[in-house]
Amino acid sequence: MTRERMELLARAWRRRITAREVLFVAAAGCAAVAGAAFWWPLTIVLPAAFALAAVTLLARLAQLQPWKLGAPHVARHLDRAFPELEESSELWLRPPAALTFVEQLQRRRVDEVAEHLDPSLGAPARDFLRTAWICFAAGVVLLAAALLWSMTRSEPRGAWAVEQTSATGDETTQTPPLATVSPKIERAELAISPPAYTGRPERVVSGLNAEIEEGSAVAWSITMDRDVQELRVRFGSRDDDPLLLRPDDNRTFRAEHTIRETSLYSVRALLPDQTVWAPTELYSLKVIKDRAPGLKILQPAAARTEIAPPSAPEAPAPTVAVEVLISDDYAIKDAHLIATVAKGTGEAVKFREQTFPFDGSEPAAQEPNARRFVKTFDLRALGLEPGDELYFHVEAADNREPASNRARSETRFIVLQGTDQSVSSPGAGVAGVNLVPQYFRSQRQIIIDTEKLIADQPTLPAAEFRDRANDLAIDQQLLRQRYGQFLGEEAETHEEHSPDDGHDHGADMPAPPPRNQEEVAAQFGHQHDTQDTATLFDREVKGTMRQALAAMWEAERFLRVANPGEALMPENRALQILKELQQADRAYVQRVGFEAAPINFSERRLRGDVTDVPATALFPAPAPQSDAAEEAIRLALRAAPWQQAEPTFLAALREIEPTLTAAATREPEVFMAGLQALRGLLAGEAAQPQSREDLERALLRILPAAKPQPARAREVSPSFAKPYFDSLGRRDATEPAG
Amino acid sequence: MSFAFIISMSALALLVAWLEWRRRNARQLGARLVCSTMAVAALALLGASRLDDETTARPGTTHATLWTSDAGADTPAAKDASGGDLQFILPGVLTRPAGAITVPDVAYIRRRHPEIGSLRIVGDGLEPFDLPAVEGLKLAWDADGSRPSRPTITVANFPRLLSLGDNLVVQGRIEGLAAGEKARLVLQGPQENATEITVNGRADAPTPFEISGGSPAAEGQFVWQLKMNAGSDTTLLADERIGVAVVRPMLPRVLVLESSPRLETSHLRRWFSEIGGALQSRTLVGRDRYRFAATNSSGAAFSVIDSELLNRFDLVIADPAAVLSLTTAEREAVRAAIVNDGLGLLLLAGSEPLGADATDDAAFFLSWKTARAGDEAAPNETNARAARLRWPGLTTPLDHPVPVAPLVFEESAGEIPLVSDSQGAPVVTSFRRGRGKIALSLVLESWRWRLEEQAPTFARYWSYLLHHVAKPQTSETPQWRIATAAHTPILPNQPLSLVYSAAGAPAGAAEITSAETGERTVLPLAQDPTEPQNWRATVWPRHAGWHRVTMPPEGAEMNFFVHEQHEWVSLASARRRVSTAAFVARAQRKLAELLPPAIASQRRVPTASPALLFALFLLSAGYLWVERRRGANV
């Protein structure tokens, strides 16, 4: 053993002691960080723990002062550890020449003893640092566990984690790790090729958002700022079929896809180190739908148009001009008229439908994508007669492919006026059935003709006057006979004969055999009702009608004798009676309310048998159904501005994402910014004022409008109110109201 | 000079004189006694003059000028002021006269320059909380020089807490708008829904305005934007934010007592169920047979109406027959709940006048002065009349009329009309009865609104009615409120007085958290000596944005919005002008009353020069020392 050897031993001790202290302090620091990470974020805990550990280490080293450890300390250690050395280790520190004789003797002795001792005499033990290393390892394990826990607790970063909390809730397994270094999109272009039928040119837009025509082919060209192994475009929240982009090189990727619906998509990349880059940015492709053609009938403007019939057969045929303005996003492929002719009345009405092309078209002056189509209907060519109607509408189809958008206009009515409609209608007829409107008119016409005959009498020859009077009498007779049918009268063409009618009927002829079932039945029975009474009308109506027939008889008699002046009065009386009949058959409903006799409720109420009615019955009202997504939105809005959002509110934000995504897909211009802000929040980004407003606005738009609610007022100084009213006493309270 | 000071100095003088007296060497005893006393007196007067300077701080004769803002800096008065003795500038003022000193606040001037006797204020003036610092100075302020040169909003009142479903209404005044000049105000809500109004300037008064900004669809903290343009062009005159916290309203708990099933009650119950309110009803369906129904609460059947039951409700809705069917004890319980506890009672009238068959104890509820409307001779012609209702807050009567009982209220003292018809005749009116209210409604069938797809009108009508009749919120639930300037914008670096109301002492420590920075501040509360349930604190918000004050563990919390320093400048300026004008006028009045005698008393008591006193002390002490030395040598 020499002094040099002891210096080496001292250095070894210094290193070991320092290492031990460092390991113990590091272990304690790791444990402290692991514990503190449960309450505070790592960004605060780590620097604090480092600083504390540094201070502790310095303090400990200052206490131990290992740098002062030298050979004398080693010598004292040897003396303590090895009694065989007889407290003489310090002799090795002194130069042999400086030793006294006794010291030299003693040194020789301890040299001999030292040769028989352990070769590593005085060196630190091999397991000197074992405990320290164990503690340090335990601390590191604890810290790692805390870090893992902290990472799982903290908000997911990047779209990969968002995917794990997608709407389906399925945990994605075997997911590559997130990229630690994010690449950037250096350049992005969309080449948009609208469908050929639109006639729109191809165009290239910068960026990844665009408005495109329905069915457009979109070609992505994305250049990254660094090498990327694989690049995909992921539509919506689904990850089942992402679009893989073709690499031109390791940085530029291309892909084509036909877009028919408005879509949100994101970009994801697989980096060369097999990590995934999944930014939270969403991009939108808003599809401009091809709208169906718009039709506007300019002529005829009114829904129903009545046209006067031609006054004479040789007059020009009535026509109807139709003018239609048809507009479309791109072009009109087809337009035609569908017309229906309705002829006849009542149950005899017949319809005939025809399709007509337009006569021509021209571009509309005001609207760029519209054309004006014209067509002229010749009503006579269509076979319309007075009283008939023509209905038509327009159908148009645009040039959309593969299937056209079709549209039809409203229906227009063209009515060719009938001759009978120029005279005022007499009414609804008897009991609501329009039986014989023309007969009433004829009676009036007879009167008019009679008056005209009387007026013309001075100028007319006597023979012609008699003929015209006789003609009127015949008309009056026909009219009387038609009305007589309603009273069961026979036609006068079949006169009845009886044995006592005053003229010869020849030999008695045997009764003719019965000709039908009714006659056979009549032989063996008798009819209680006669034809005279077997009609729909009651006795009063029949009596009145008989009076009309009698008046007609009288008028006919005077007309037969060419005395129209006398006939005029019964004619008018017959017309008046007929009018009264019409009026008398109208239904009458009293239009005043029913007033019941007043009921004394106090006498009548609560007098029933109530034994089966329970004394008390409880009916809880059903609670309103709550919408989970709506509740989540309300919860998230309460937590705004989200800087200090708690986990429950973040869970609400996650719950909102599918709803907001659906809304953004529907109306990206309204909800896209809010969705971006939401995804940013979920990715752990700080809520910026603008993104906060975007998200707030989007969430508020999803919710239904607020309804008024009754809020209780706030009492001012409630502690004063009670003593005040107590001191007022009961006098005020017992005063009657008002 | 305090009494203790005089006593102590006198005692000191006596002690020194006694010591001299006791000396055995009696040579020059008289001179020694005089010098001893004189030295002590000189020392005492020297100290006393210094103490007087420090404690009384009497205004001196120095004139100073304080520049509070750039407004009015170019007026002749301000230019004259720039030549004063001392010039001070508050932070943020850009106008800088030569030699001006920037001071942090007014109190700094008083501390550092006690010699200032008069102060001229240039600009908008001082904040209300700064004004006490200039108490006792002779003040001058040119009010006209600081008036705005263009239209500005000088007053804006709005609720900081808005119940969900209520519209935000902002009321205010515009100054600087000439007569006939137009200004267009736009209030844009958080949902980008905007309301626009145009106001015309008045001749000699500020122009008032009122604009409604809709209601957000959910609770939360939202910011509205109030913009003002000149009517003729698009020049933006004001662009300010309004932060309002929308909170869930505390709904009244309603008890319905009806003598027969009514559609009105049925629809009211459905509506309460929709909004999550608690309503319990008891309906007489047969002799001694009742049907109970409850919404959103565990309401159970009850047999007796007593104070315990009524404590669970804030409002009772009943028809007169149901009131008459109550027992005397029950009626007394209802009466006591109204008078003592503030319970509200809403009576739904029928077609007949009330009070005809009321007994003495029912008269408290049913003695209403009503008369049959229309032709008295034919009372059975109609049982109802259609009326288009209106109430405060509606600019025009409702479009959809509802049947109203053919009765009219006769005028009564203390009557508070709540709802009227289009002619202005009340159809719902109320009276205060002790702490609570009793109201009578002549509206028969408001449920028709719901069937006519006018459910919002139904909700608005009943919300208004219940709000005004139901028992108000007291301190039964802990709550926060802002005590000072409760309806105006909160600006940073200004005191904000918060009040926490609770039945008992707060269990935890109140905290204010800034939503923007996350900074938390513990708020010490002081109990109000007059209202012990109130605990007050004053805070000075330093950051803009939303703040939340909480009181764990009860969870009572309140959000309030602090504006940026550059917002609502015109309003802050107007507030400074108003408070400064009032303070200066009061100070001048007080000075005119007190100054002459004060000046006279100052002239009567001449103050000795400190140098003279010090010299006197030196002479006396020097004589004593020399005399002692000579005595020793001898």
Side-chain angles (χ1 to χ4, degrees), chain A residues 427-440:
Chain A
V430 176
V433 182
N434 189 7
L435 295 174
V436 282
Q438 63 270 33
Y439 298 155
F440 302 147

Side-chain angles (χ1 to χ4, degrees), chain B residues 412-433:
Chain B
S412 302
E415 177 189 34
I416 308 169
L418 295 176
V419 181
S420 60
D421 61 14
S422 57
Q423 305 301 317
V427 294
V428 182
T429 189
S430 69
F431 285 90
R432 182 164 280 285
R433 286 284 172 263

Side-chain angles (χ1 to χ4, degrees), chain B residues 318-532:
Chain B
D319 54 48
V323 173
L324 287 172
S325 68
L326 298 177
T327 63
T328 305
E330 287 177 330
R331 275 201 287 267
E332 175 56 26
V334 176
R335 193 201 65 78
I338 293 171
V339 174
N340 299 328
D341 301 331
L343 180 75
L345 173 64
L346 176 61
L347 294 167
L348 303 179
S351 299
E352 295 301 320
L354 293 178
D357 48 356
T359 56
D360 288 342
D361 57 339
F364 175 80
F365 308 101
L366 303 179
S367 293
W368 296 81
K369 292 182 178 177
T370 57
R372 180 168 286 280
D375 188 3
E376 292 289 339
N380 289 327
E381 282 296 315
T382 174
N383 286 326
R385 61 189 174 95
R388 294 170 58 205
L389 305 187
R390 69 182 304 171
W391 57 83
L394 289 182
T395 51
T396 56
L398 297 172
D399 292 334
H400 294 261
V402 286
V404 173
L407 303 173
V408 290
F409 288 104
E410 296 177 359
E411 287 190 11
S412 302
E415 177 189 34
I416 308 169
L418 295 176
V419 181
S420 60
D421 61 14
S422 57
Q423 305 301 317
V427 294
V428 182
T429 189
S430 69
F431 285 90
R432 182 164 280 285
R433 286 284 172 263
R435 204 173 168 187
K437 281 181 186 170
I438 298 181
L440 174 64
S441 169
L442 302 181
V443 179
L444 297 175
E445 296 173 354
S446 65
W447 51 268
R448 287 183 184 274
W449 280 323
R450 281 173 67 90
L451 300 188
E452 292 170 357
E453 297 184 348
Q454 296 293 319
T457 303
F458 179 89
R460 205 154 58 235
Y461 167 76
W462 278 103
S463 296
Y464 168 80
L465 214 54
L466 301 189
H467 171 80
H468 283 85
V469 183
K471 182 201 290 185
Q473 295 181 52
T474 56
S475 54
E476 68 225 22
T477 53
Q479 57 192 13
W480 286 96
R481 65 186 167 88
I482 294 172
T484 53
H487 302 298
T488 55
I490 301 172
L491 297 174
N493 302 317
Q494 299 209 353
L496 179 68
S497 180
L498 297 170
V499 179
Y500 175 74
S501 301
E511 268 188 353
I512 285 189
T513 309
S514 167
E516 304 292 336
T517 63
E519 180 184 325
R520 293 186 174 197
T521 310
V522 175
L523 197 64
L525 297 174
Q527 192 170 22
D528 193 303
T530 54
E531 294 181 272

Side-chain angles (χ1 to χ4, degrees), chain A residues 606 610 613-619 621-622 624 634 640 701 704 706-707 710-713 715 717 719 725 730 733 737, chain B residues 192 216-217 221 250-252 273 287 289-294 335 364 367 433-435 467 471-474 476 531 533:
Chain A
L606 312 180
V610 292
V613 179
T616 57
L618 188 62
F619 294 94
R634 293 184 187 281
R701 286 194 174 199
K707 296 170 185 168
R712 286 171 66 191
E715 189 170 37
S717 299
S719 59
F725 286 109
R730 300 167 66 87
Chain B
E192 287 193 333
Q221 296 85 50
M250 181 177 277
L251 303 179
S273 175
R287 184 188 301 164
R289 298 293 191 271
Y290 293 101
R291 189 187 68 179
F292 292 87
R335 193 201 65 78
F364 175 80
S367 293
R433 286 284 172 263
R435 204 173 168 187
H467 171 80
K471 182 201 290 185
Q473 295 181 52
T474 56
E476 68 225 22
E531 294 181 272
Q533 87 286 353

Side-chain angles (χ1 to χ4, degrees), chain A residues 44 63 83 103 135 202 219 247 257 270 291 313 328 390 425 515 563 602 670 726:
Chain A
I44 297 173
Q63 182 192 3
E103 287 172 341
C135 290
E202 296 184 359
H257 193 59
L270 185 64
R291 287 178 293 132
D328 189 66
L390 171 70
S425 171
R515 287 171 295 184
N563 189 359
S602 59
V670 177
D726 287 345

